[in-house]
mmCIF file of all heavy atoms in Angstrom:
data_model
loop_
_atom_site.group_PDB
_atom_site.id
_atom_site.type_symbol
_atom_site.label_atom_id
_atom_site.label_comp_id
_atom_site.label_asym_id
_atom_site.label_seq_id
_atom_site.Cartn_x
_atom_site.Cartn_y
_atom_site.Cartn_z
ATOM 1 N N THR A 102 -24.163 124.083 54.892
ATOM 2 C CA THR A 102 -23.866 123.325 53.674
ATOM 3 C C THR A 102 -23.651 124.327 52.549
ATOM 4 O O THR A 102 -24.029 125.495 52.669
ATOM 5 C CB THR A 102 -25.044 122.414 53.288
ATOM 6 O OG1 THR A 102 -26.149 123.259 52.920
ATOM 7 C CG2 THR A 102 -25.448 121.506 54.422
ATOM 8 N N PRO A 103 -23.051 123.897 51.435
ATOM 9 C CA PRO A 103 -22.911 124.810 50.293
ATOM 10 C C PRO A 103 -24.251 125.400 49.863
ATOM 11 O O PRO A 103 -24.339 126.557 49.458
ATOM 12 C CB PRO A 103 -22.317 123.913 49.216
ATOM 13 C CG PRO A 103 -21.551 122.879 49.962
ATOM 14 C CD PRO A 103 -22.339 122.630 51.210
ATOM 15 N N GLU A 104 -25.324 124.611 49.989
ATOM 16 C CA GLU A 104 -26.666 125.105 49.596
ATOM 17 C C GLU A 104 -27.075 126.274 50.488
ATOM 18 O O GLU A 104 -27.574 127.290 50.018
ATOM 19 C CB GLU A 104 -27.696 123.979 49.693
ATOM 20 C CG GLU A 104 -27.949 123.167 48.417
ATOM 21 C CD GLU A 104 -26.764 123.091 47.488
ATOM 22 O OE1 GLU A 104 -26.123 123.034 47.765
ATOM 23 O OE2 GLU A 104 -26.426 123.106 46.441
ATOM 24 N N ASP A 105 -26.840 126.116 51.807
ATOM 25 C CA ASP A 105 -27.161 127.200 52.751
ATOM 26 C C ASP A 105 -26.415 128.468 52.358
ATOM 27 O O ASP A 105 -26.970 129.563 52.348
ATOM 28 C CB ASP A 105 -26.747 126.809 54.177
ATOM 29 C CG ASP A 105 -27.549 125.645 54.709
ATOM 30 O OD1 ASP A 105 -28.712 125.526 54.291
ATOM 31 O OD2 ASP A 105 -27.012 124.875 55.508
ATOM 32 N N MET A 106 -25.147 128.263 52.056
ATOM 33 C CA MET A 106 -24.286 129.391 51.729
ATOM 34 C C MET A 106 -24.827 130.136 50.508
ATOM 35 O O MET A 106 -24.873 131.365 50.484
ATOM 36 C CB MET A 106 -22.897 128.823 51.436
ATOM 37 C CG MET A 106 -21.818 129.795 51.570
ATOM 38 S SD MET A 106 -21.607 130.276 53.279
ATOM 39 C CE MET A 106 -20.488 131.613 53.020
ATOM 40 N N LYS A 107 -25.241 129.369 49.496
ATOM 41 C CA LYS A 107 -25.774 130.005 48.282
ATOM 42 C C LYS A 107 -27.014 130.822 48.615
ATOM 43 O O LYS A 107 -27.202 131.919 48.091
ATOM 44 C CB LYS A 107 -26.108 128.942 47.232
ATOM 45 C CG LYS A 107 -24.865 128.421 46.534
ATOM 46 C CD LYS A 107 -25.224 127.379 45.499
ATOM 47 C CE LYS A 107 -23.974 126.680 45.006
ATOM 48 N NZ LYS A 107 -24.253 125.403 44.381
ATOM 49 N N LYS A 108 -27.859 130.285 49.500
ATOM 50 C CA LYS A 108 -29.091 130.997 49.856
ATOM 51 C C LYS A 108 -28.770 132.322 50.553
ATOM 52 O O LYS A 108 -29.339 133.355 50.222
ATOM 53 C CB LYS A 108 -29.954 130.121 50.775
ATOM 54 C CG LYS A 108 -30.783 129.102 50.026
ATOM 55 C CD LYS A 108 -31.683 128.358 51.002
ATOM 56 C CE LYS A 108 -31.733 126.886 50.650
ATOM 57 N NZ LYS A 108 -32.100 126.028 51.772
ATOM 58 N N ILE A 109 -27.844 132.243 51.531
ATOM 59 C CA ILE A 109 -27.500 133.457 52.281
ATOM 60 C C ILE A 109 -26.938 134.516 51.343
ATOM 61 O O ILE A 109 -27.322 135.680 51.383
ATOM 62 C CB ILE A 109 -26.416 133.163 53.342
ATOM 63 C CG1 ILE A 109 -26.895 132.094 54.302
ATOM 64 C CG2 ILE A 109 -26.058 134.420 54.109
ATOM 65 C CD1 ILE A 109 -25.763 131.533 55.129
ATOM 66 N N VAL A 110 -25.988 134.085 50.499
ATOM 67 C CA VAL A 110 -25.328 135.046 49.617
ATOM 68 C C VAL A 110 -26.322 135.647 48.634
ATOM 69 O O VAL A 110 -26.268 136.845 48.350
ATOM 70 C CB VAL A 110 -24.134 134.388 48.895
ATOM 71 C CG1 VAL A 110 -23.584 135.294 47.824
ATOM 72 C CG2 VAL A 110 -23.048 134.046 49.900
ATOM 73 N N ALA A 111 -27.265 134.837 48.154
ATOM 74 C CA ALA A 111 -28.272 135.367 47.241
ATOM 75 C C ALA A 111 -29.087 136.460 47.935
ATOM 76 O O ALA A 111 -29.396 137.496 47.337
ATOM 77 C CB ALA A 111 -29.184 134.243 46.751
ATOM 78 N N LEU A 112 -29.409 136.236 49.223
ATOM 79 C CA LEU A 112 -30.156 137.247 49.980
ATOM 80 C C LEU A 112 -29.342 138.533 50.113
ATOM 81 O O LEU A 112 -29.859 139.634 49.927
ATOM 82 C CB LEU A 112 -30.483 136.716 51.376
ATOM 83 C CG LEU A 112 -31.601 135.680 51.475
ATOM 84 C CD1 LEU A 112 -31.708 135.158 52.897
ATOM 85 C CD2 LEU A 112 -32.928 136.297 51.034
ATOM 86 N N LEU A 113 -28.055 138.367 50.445
ATOM 87 C CA LEU A 113 -27.202 139.544 50.614
ATOM 88 C C LEU A 113 -27.035 140.288 49.301
ATOM 89 O O LEU A 113 -27.005 141.516 49.266
ATOM 90 C CB LEU A 113 -25.826 139.124 51.142
ATOM 91 C CG LEU A 113 -25.749 138.694 52.595
ATOM 92 C CD1 LEU A 113 -24.357 138.186 52.912
ATOM 93 C CD2 LEU A 113 -26.102 139.854 53.517
ATOM 94 N N ALA A 114 -26.906 139.526 48.198
ATOM 95 C CA ALA A 114 -26.632 140.132 46.902
ATOM 96 C C ALA A 114 -27.781 141.027 46.457
ATOM 97 O O ALA A 114 -27.568 141.996 45.733
ATOM 98 C CB ALA A 114 -26.373 139.043 45.873
#
Side-chain angles (χ1 to χ4, degrees):
Chain A
T102 66
E104 267 29 38
D105 294 330
M106 201 68 190
K107 283 180 191 160
K108 278 184 221 157
I109 302 166
V110 171
L112 285 174
L113 287 174

